[in-house]
Amino acid sequence: MQAKLSVKELLLNSLEQTPEFMLPELLDFLQFLKMKHIQHNLEISILSESALGKDWLKPEEDEAWQDL
């Protein structure tokens, strides 16, 4: 019985079989996906900042963190 390959292993196997002329486009796409993920996480952080800021500005929060 053969072990199931991980997604990374499948991707690496597929990459090994990819013609050289396609590799720059694959690299561009991978970098695009990574940047898209980073940008999405940044947007979520920025959007949540104003909502969380309301709690951060409460006197109870100042009191809770004053000893640090």
Side-chain angles (χ1 to χ4, degrees):
M1 186 171 178
Q2 191 171 359
K4 184 178 178 183
L5 296 177
S6 70
V7 172
K8 190 171 189 175
E9 290 168 324
L10 291 169
L11 183 58
L12 289 171
N13 288 343
S14 182
L15 185 60
E16 287 293 325
Q17 297 173 19
T18 301
E20 189 72 30
F21 75 92
M22 295 176 86
L23 295 178
E25 188 173 359
L26 282 171
L27 179 58
D28 284 346
F29 185 63
L30 179 58
Q31 290 171 335
F32 164 76
L33 290 176
K34 287 180 176 182
M35 190 57 64
K36 180 180 168 186
H37 180 72
I38 290 169
Q39 184 176 358
H40 176 73
N41 287 342
L42 180 60
E43 288 172 0
I44 289 173
S45 296
I46 291 170
L47 291 172
S48 64
E49 184 176 341
S50 63
L52 293 173
K54 294 174 187 172
D55 286 334
W56 294 336
L57 298 175
K58 290 182 178 178
E60 306 89 71
E61 285 295 315
D62 289 337
E63 186 178 324
W65 294 96
Q66 70 184 357
D67 295 330
L68 296 179

